[in-house]
């Protein structure tokens, strides 16, 4: 062997795993189905006074092993909705005064659009059912 040459040892197990994830991401174009999405639900708030209610919703969803987060960017609502669409989040929940008063959620999905208002138990049940059945869209 000549000094100064670089030798690389290929580890196939890691390469094949990386290729698998690359193909998976390319196949879905980043728009993963609900059961596979890294973030399944994003909760948006109309103003900061609804943030505690949003956090309680996220906590409840996480207790059911649903991957959820609150959008803490502080952007205006239209921008938050647009970012959620661009991030390809399957389910977006909007919280405002009406939702707080009624203890309800305004739900929008990427595939079906506006789903109207529903309660947290209704949303949780629908998401868990969609995940269990591995629906490609919700």
């Amino acid at each position: 062997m000549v000094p100064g040459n670089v030798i690389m040892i290929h580890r196939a197990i890691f390469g094949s795993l990386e290729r698998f994830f690359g193909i998976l991401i390319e196949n879905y174009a980043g728009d993963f189905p609900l059961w596979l999405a890294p973030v399944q639900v994003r909760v948006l708030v109309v103003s900061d006074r609804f943030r505690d209610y949003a956090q309680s919703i996220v906590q409840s969803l996480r207790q059911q092993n649903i991957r959820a987060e609150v959008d803490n960017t502080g952007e205006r609502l239209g921008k938050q909705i647009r970012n959620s669409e661009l991030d390809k989040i399957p389910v977006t929940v909007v919280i405002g005064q009406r939702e707080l008063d009624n203890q309800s959620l305004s739900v929008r999905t990427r595939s079906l659009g506006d789903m109207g208002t529903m309660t947290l138990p209704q949303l949780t049940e629908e998401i868990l059912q969609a995940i269990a059945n591995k629906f490609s869209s919700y």
Side-chain angles (χ1 to χ4, degrees):
M1 186 160 100
V2 179
N5 286 347
V6 177
I7 297 174
M8 183 172 82
I9 299 173
H10 178 66
R11 180 72 192 231
I13 191 167
F14 294 122
S16 61
L17 187 62
E18 290 167 351
R19 281 191 297 278
F20 168 74
F21 282 114
I23 291 168
L24 186 68
I25 292 169
E26 184 178 347
N27 182 51
Y28 284 110
D31 190 8
F32 295 109
L34 177 66
W35 61 273
L36 187 59
V39 176
Q40 296 167 320
V41 179
R42 182 174 288 166
V43 180
L44 313 178
V45 292
V46 174
S47 75
D48 285 337
R49 17 183 221 145
F50 309 114
R51 199 158 303 282
D52 290 338
Y53 181 48
Q55 289 291 354
S56 69
I57 290 167
V58 167
Q59 184 179 16
S60 177
L61 291 171
R62 285 181 178 170
Q63 287 174 347
Q64 297 294 321
N65 293 321
I66 297 172
R67 295 181 294 275
E69 66 180 19
V70 176
D71 186 330
N72 288 317
T73 60
E75 301 281 351
R76 55 187 174 74
L77 184 60
K79 176 93 176 193
Q80 289 180 25
I81 293 171
R82 171 116 169 98
N83 289 342
S84 187
E85 286 289 320
L86 290 175
D87 292 343
K88 300 180 180 180
I89 306 297
V91 180
T92 303
V93 174
V94 178
I95 304 296
Q97 187 63 50
R98 182 179 48 186
E99 289 78 18
L100 180 63
D101 292 343
N102 298 330
Q103 292 294 297
S104 64
L105 311 168
S106 179
V107 180
R108 176 178 181 76
T109 66
R110 277 190 47 80
S111 59
L112 301 175
D114 186 14
M115 300 287 290
T117 57
M118 54 180 71
T119 64
L120 181 58
Q122 284 175 314
L123 177 65
T124 303
E125 180 62 31
E126 287 196 26
I127 289 174
L128 290 175
Q129 186 176 18
I131 291 170
N133 295 325
K134 303 247 187 308
F135 290 150
S136 59
S137 63
Y138 174 81

